[in-house]
Amino acid sequence: MDNQLKIQLLETMLRVRKAELQLAIMYKNGKVPCAAHLYEGEEAIAAGVCANLRLDDCITSTHRGHGHCIAKGMPMREMIAEVSARKTGCCGGKGGTMHLFKPEVGVMGTVGIVGGGIPLSTGLGLAMKMQKTDRVAVSFFGDGAANNGAFHESLNLAALWKLPVLYVCENNQYATSVAVWRSTSVPDIGVRGSAYGIPGVTVDGNRVDDVYAAAAAAVSRARAGDGPTLIECQTYRIRGHFEGDDSLYRTKEEVAEARKRDPIDYWKAKLMAEGVIDDGGFAALSEKAEAEVADAAAFAEASPFPAPEDALELTANA
């Protein structure tokens, strides 16, 4: 990993973090007209995985998908405008926060149904193999989705047909309000890969270098025609399941302890120790990300809502 890539990973995490904090403010101010599920504290996963992907590779995501979309290349203006239900959004304001779509950059849909994106990525992987390309598909999903039938059916077929798919489980310890230890029979979801004869690994999802390395190996395997990989990234959902969630199912002390493992703080400290960046360089990256997000928020607020008659028109991505 060269220094340029190390800084790129930091920049991506900062862009995602700034966007989510801005959306939290917009939600409180009534600018986001639907439930908002934010990604604060999990940025290393989107950044580490997507840094290994080409523009023509594809991802599917979840209801908590803003970070994946940003890391894959969706323009910030289009993402925030769509979350704000504005006509200038990536889906013309028709998808909203849980249904973002931008095939030009390989975002093939964030899906509000738990586990709903897993079979979509499996189908994308099948199409890529039938077209005899070296493209790969990535499915991001949570620990709750790993207990759905769609997860097991998809891994079985992908393993059987050696499809070029990365199954990335973001184990943030909670499926809505249910702790993973209450719902899942194994401590590490990554071990489930062995049941289908494919690599299954568990990494620290708050360490972007560990995520990047695991994804690099999985992408290389997929491009070579050797089939899928299951990557479990163990992380923590800092915010509630949705904005407004009272989080009474966990203690404040638990959340405070999790904040000590912030992925951006970890990577910043590592790069500073290596002499890759200093305080001034970090501040510049942070200010750049903040300016980009502020511009996107202003763009969204100045954009019109779709007109009623727009419901009958097919937009580019909706």
Side-chain angles (χ1 to χ4, degrees), residues 98-138:
M98 289 190 281
H99 302 99
L100 302 165
F101 190 66
K102 185 74 174 178
E104 296 91 337
V105 297
V107 176
M108 301 306 290
T110 63
V111 183
I113 298 171
V114 174
I118 303 177
L120 297 182
S121 280
T122 305
L124 288 166
L126 176 59
M128 292 166 179
K129 181 168 184 176
M130 292 176 68
Q131 292 168 353
K132 302 186 186 310
T133 72
D134 68 344
R135 299 165 66 197
V136 303
V138 178

Side-chain angles (χ1 to χ4, degrees), residues 2-303:
D2 60 28
N3 289 347
Q4 182 178 358
L5 176 56
K6 292 176 182 178
I7 292 174
Q8 175 193 327
L9 293 171
L10 179 59
E11 185 173 21
T12 299
M13 288 192 288
L14 283 169
R15 293 176 68 231
V16 174
R17 174 69 59 86
K18 298 292 185 181
E20 295 294 68
L21 295 179
Q22 177 64 45
L23 288 173
I25 294 171
M26 293 172 68
Y27 180 84
K28 289 178 182 177
N29 292 337
K31 304 297 184 182
V32 177
C34 53
H37 306 78
L38 303 184
Y39 198 59
E40 182 183 359
E42 303 178 42
E43 298 90 350
I45 304 171
V49 172
C50 290
N52 286 282
L53 303 180
R54 302 190 311 235
L55 184 65
D56 62 342
D57 294 324
C58 296
I59 68 167
T60 63
S61 180
T62 69
H63 53 280
R64 201 179 309 282
H66 310 146
H68 308 134
C69 293
I70 293 170
K72 188 61 177 71
M74 180 178 287
M76 189 73 72
R77 280 186 165 193
E78 290 189 29
M79 190 277 287
I80 291 185
E82 187 61 38
V83 174
S84 304
R86 304 294 178 134
K87 190 170 182 176
T88 53
C90 60
C91 296
K94 298 176 182 178
T97 179
M98 289 190 281
H99 302 99
L100 302 165
F101 190 66
K102 185 74 174 178
E104 296 91 337
V105 297
V107 176
M108 301 306 290
T110 63
V111 183
I113 298 171
V114 174
I118 303 177
L120 297 182
S121 280
T122 305
L124 288 166
L126 176 59
M128 292 166 179
K129 181 168 184 176
M130 292 176 68
Q131 292 168 353
K132 302 186 186 310
T133 72
D134 68 344
R135 299 165 66 197
V136 303
V138 178
S139 176
F140 291 100
F141 55 93
D143 45 282
N147 294 327
N148 281 15
F151 167 85
H152 297 282
E153 294 171 28
S154 294
L155 264 67
N156 180 59
L157 281 179
L160 183 65
W161 295 338
K162 291 188 180 300
L163 303 184
V165 185
L166 276 64
Y167 295 99
V168 180
C169 176
E170 298 181 316
N171 182 355
N172 63 20
Q173 310 306 313
Y174 287 94
T176 308
S177 60
V178 180
V180 65
W181 62 269
R182 291 184 180 275
S183 64
T184 305
S185 61
V186 289
D188 295 329
I189 293 171
V191 302
R192 291 180 172 178
S194 62
Y196 300 103
I198 65 173
V201 298
T202 297
V203 300
D204 186 338
N206 285 24
R207 297 198 169 201
V208 71
D209 44 351
D210 290 354
V211 176
Y212 178 86
V219 167
S220 178
R221 169 183 164 82
R223 294 204 198 284
D226 294 329
T229 301
L230 170 63
I231 304 174
E232 177 195 10
C233 300
Q234 293 195 347
T235 183
Y236 191 84
R237 195 193 71 215
I238 294 294
R239 308 185 78 88
H241 173 62
F242 54 88
E243 291 302 283
D245 177 9
D246 56 24
S247 293
L248 294 178
Y249 45 85
R250 58 184 183 177
T251 66
K252 293 180 180 178
E253 291 76 16
E254 177 182 318
V255 178
E257 191 63 28
R259 282 191 178 277
K260 296 177 182 178
R261 298 186 58 255
D262 187 287
I264 295 177
D265 289 348
Y266 160 76
W267 196 234
K268 173 189 174 184
K270 186 174 178 64
L271 297 196
M272 290 184 73
E274 295 176 356
V276 176
I277 199 169
D278 57 18
D279 283 327
F282 179 82
L285 287 178
S286 183
E287 290 168 8
K288 179 183 176 183
E290 197 158 326
E292 180 189 15
V293 169
D295 167 77
F299 171 79
E301 191 162 350
S303 298

